[in-house]
Amino acid sequence: MSVHHPLFFMAFIAIMATAFHANAQLDPGFYDKVCPQALPTIQAVVEQAVAREQRMGASLLRLHFHDCFATGCDGSILLDDTPTFTGEKTALPNINSARGFEVIDEIKAAVDSACYGSVVSCADILAVAARDSVVALGGQTYVVPLGRRDSRTASKDEADNRIPAPFLDFPALLSNFQSQGLTLEDLVILSGAHTIGLARCTTFRNHTYNDTNIDPDFAGSLKAQCPVTGGDNNTAPLDATTASFDTVYYSGLLYRKGLLHSDQELFKGDGSASDGLVRYYSANPTAFWADFGVSMGKMGNLNPLTGSDGEIRLNCRRMN
């Protein structure tokens, strides 16, 4: 069939229209007319929360990541369990570690007040709060497409199976990201979010005591925080400047000072593609900030609910 055949042309137009619709579902200006105060209000509450506790910036960023990787960026991680419903909060990646829910509640109340009603979804609040947390800790701002709606369900199994675990090796990490439509570059860039925040002993104990790809002095310092048994909830910083959104995370990997097994898997010193990216971002903060925003945009577009799907929750912790 000639490429100029009218049926081919019509099919091509249909495909292009579908592709455009898929890309146009989310829009950075989604709230510009319906509530121009929405984004400034979110930013103000995030800045206050991070000022109270710097770790909260990492916690809010992590909530968005864990929300998107489970069932898509739909606010499902925020739903509380009920007698007839089990959400994602008790999934292994979230139990005793996901935090910041009260800040999301605070943001939701402030936004609903500023907008004279419930027009901003909890899923969008998570996406914007993640960006504002990065900025509050010294990172560069980036565009957040908006218009997500909130799910009417959640999946503990999806959270258990799809959120990458801290003990995964590199092939498993890459496979996990690729299953979400993300790339090797996205894996290395989004892992750079570990430039802020803390991790629990239970997530880095095995790396500290049993791995060989770790600086011995660094491992020794961690053992003081994380005994062989007990102290599961003791914490250690994910990099040396845990309250600053910088590239020290990558620099640490070059010296085998990744806190988690999954962190250090990104740099083994064998000349792999991930090695090259770690070296590049360790030396180029501006490039990291720019590329981080792009990868966050891709992650934030994982299976969003739009249009008439889902709902706009009145309370982020429960379905309407």
Side-chain angles (χ1 to χ4, degrees), residues 220-242:
S221 69
L222 294 177
K223 289 174 183 177
Q225 290 292 106
C226 185
V228 176
T229 57
D232 284 0
N233 291 321
N234 294 352
T235 59
L238 282 157
D239 82 355
T241 55
T242 185

Side-chain angles (χ1 to χ4, degrees), residues 104-125:
I104 299 300
D105 293 339
E106 189 181 347
I107 294 171
K108 176 66 171 168
V111 168
D112 284 0
S113 176
C115 298
Y116 302 102
S118 187
V119 298
V120 181
S121 69
C122 301
D124 275 348
I125 287 173

